[in-house]
Amino acid sequence: MNSKLKTGLSIAGGLIIAGLLTMLIMRYTTKAHSPEDVATYEQNGIGLEVFYNRPYRKDREIFGKLVPYDEVWRTGANEATTFETSSDILVDGSLLKAGKYTLWSIPKQDSWKVIFNDQMYPWGIDMDKKAYRDPQFDALVLERPVEKSAEITEQFTISFEEAGDFISMELVWDQVKIEIPIKKEETPAGASTNTIISG
């Protein structure tokens, strides 16, 4: 192997290692500002889990500024937020099949679009700071009203609360709250619950 080729391979290897180290440092520092969290719900045959990163408000103007209106948001920081359900559910009356999704949103002043996308992505945004989401893989898109609060929530929070016959998935940050009603998809009366396995 000639010396020019060896030098070129050494430089390429060094650049790859430097790039990986930079990415690891960036991930570590962003995690320090927006720590990971998991919201879970398990009861009455429903298992729900949301993995997300929780940015802080830090006296910033959030919606319409830090998180622009009418643009896709990764619904948190760092990685794309994920939503997983162990069974078929009704989300605001629409069917969402059991499985794992990425959870995106489009905040507006009076309402939010909430999007369940059935693809996983390496990070929440690309190098141009645009959301990684590919809309052709949207499994469910719904719109929910904004609820305003006099109280300020410092850190972005996703939680599950029981609300009558429903489970409410709540997205809360600053003075904004979005409630997404969830209910287990019931098997219609008289329908067979037997599963036929072929093969």
Side-chain angles (χ1 to χ4, degrees):
M1 188 181 291
N2 67 42
S3 62
K4 283 186 179 178
L5 184 57
K6 279 184 180 176
T7 304
L9 288 173
S10 295
I11 291 169
L15 289 172
I16 289 168
I17 291 167
L20 288 170
L21 284 171
T22 302
M23 192 168 67
L24 287 170
I25 290 165
M26 279 177 59
R27 286 194 177 202
Y28 175 78
T29 54
T30 56
K31 295 272 185 188
H33 297 294
S34 304
E36 295 175 357
D37 205 349
V38 178
T40 59
Y41 178 91
E42 195 159 354
Q43 204 167 315
N44 303 322
I46 301 179
L48 305 172
E49 181 178 286
V50 175
F51 168 85
Y52 70 117
N53 289 267
R54 303 181 62 195
Y56 289 89
R57 180 173 175 268
K58 295 179 180 174
D59 293 321
R60 296 175 293 183
E61 188 179 338
I62 302 301
F63 297 108
K65 187 84 172 183
L66 180 68
V67 177
Y69 288 136
D70 301 309
E71 289 185 22
V72 179
W73 181 43
R74 55 188 150 171
T75 319
N78 305 328
E79 295 100 327
T81 295
T82 60
F83 175 95
E84 191 166 4
T85 173
S86 63
S87 54
D88 293 354
I89 54 175
L90 294 172
V91 182
D92 200 21
S94 296
L95 178 65
L96 186 69
K97 293 284 191 182
K100 188 173 184 179
Y101 302 87
T102 44
L103 182 67
W104 308 85
S105 48
I106 302 175
K108 295 190 272 186
Q109 198 153 7
D110 299 315
S111 65
W112 282 25
K113 282 190 177 174
V114 180
I115 303 157
F116 296 82
N117 184 284
D118 61 16
Q119 293 293 299
M120 296 297 112
Y121 302 89
W123 199 243
I125 54 174
D126 61 22
M127 296 303 284
D128 297 320
K129 298 191 175 180
K130 297 293 180 188
Y132 256 121
R133 162 193 164 246
D134 185 341
Q136 70 174 323
F137 296 108
D138 289 348
L140 178 61
V141 180
L142 53 97
E143 193 151 352
R144 295 294 299 162
V146 165
E147 293 180 37
K148 295 283 188 178
S149 169
E151 211 173 287
I152 291 172
T153 300
E154 176 63 22
Q155 192 176 14
F156 178 57
T157 304
I158 298 177
S159 61
F160 294 104
E161 305 292 336
E162 291 192 347
D165 293 337
F166 292 88
I167 303 130
S168 177
M169 181 169 72
E170 298 182 355
L171 283 59
V172 185
W173 198 15
D174 196 11
Q175 293 176 287
V176 167
K177 178 164 83 169
I178 305 296
E179 292 186 344
I180 303 156
I182 296 171
K183 191 175 185 180
K184 186 174 181 183
E185 167 72 337
E186 302 293 343
T187 305
S192 171
T193 56
N194 295 333
T195 302
I196 298 168
I197 302 171
S198 60

